[in-house]
Amino acid sequence: MRLWLLRHGEAEPRARTDAERNLTEGGRRDVRRSATFLRGKPLQVVLVSPYQRAQQTADEVCKALGFSGRRETVDWATPESDLEEALRALDLRGESDLLLVTHQPFVGNLAGWLVNGSHSEPLPMATASLAELEGEAIAGGLMQLASLHHVG
C-alpha cells in the first residue's frame, strides 16, 4: 500500500476566511514541480481537503499528470483535523495507491504518526512538499517513509 501526502502550494496570506485562500502563482509552479515525482505512479484516487488552496493544488496535479481517475473531497483533511477520524476514514478505503492533498499541521502529524507511531515526531512538510509512505496497512508506526520531496 502506498500513500502520497501532498501539502498544498503557497497560498495568499489573507482571504475572507482561511478556507478561501487561493494559491499564488509561485505556489502553482511549486505544485507542478511536485507533481513530477508522481509521474508514472499508479494513483487510484486523489483525496482532497475542501479548502480552496488544496482544491487548486489537486487541480494542478491532476492536470500535470493527465489524471482522470477518481477525485474525492474529504472533510477530515483540513488543517486542524482529528488524526483518529482521518485514520478511520483511510482504513475504510479499498485502494492501494492514494494521494492525499491537505495542510499543516495535519499532514505532518499524520505522516509522523504513520511512520513513527508517535504524536511527538511530526514530519516536516513545507508548502508543496510530497511524502511517499509505504506499508502493509495505514496504521500508526506501520508505514515507512519511502521518499520526501521539498520543492519550495
Side-chain angles (χ1 to χ4, degrees), residues 51-96:
Y51 284 29
Q52 183 70 11
R53 60 192 178 273
Q55 292 287 324
Q56 291 170 338
T57 295
D59 290 345
E60 292 292 335
V61 168
C62 290
K63 187 166 47 171
L65 297 176
F67 180 79
S68 58
R70 278 197 352 266
R71 176 174 160 171
E72 296 176 27
T73 299
V74 293
D75 60 359
W76 49 260
T78 62
E80 305 300 329
S81 285
D82 179 68
L83 279 182
E84 290 182 20
E85 180 184 356
L87 290 167
R88 280 192 302 273
L90 286 168
D91 189 49
L92 295 173
R93 306 293 311 193
E95 302 90 358
S96 60

Side-chain angles (χ1 to χ4, degrees), residues 1-22:
M1 170 168 283
R2 280 184 295 238
L3 174 64
W4 287 273
L5 301 171
L6 178 61
R7 183 178 174 199
H8 64 79
E10 178 188 65
E12 61 191 7
R14 286 182 216 79
R16 195 169 58 85
T17 67
D18 183 47
E20 295 174 304
R21 291 172 48 214
N22 290 301

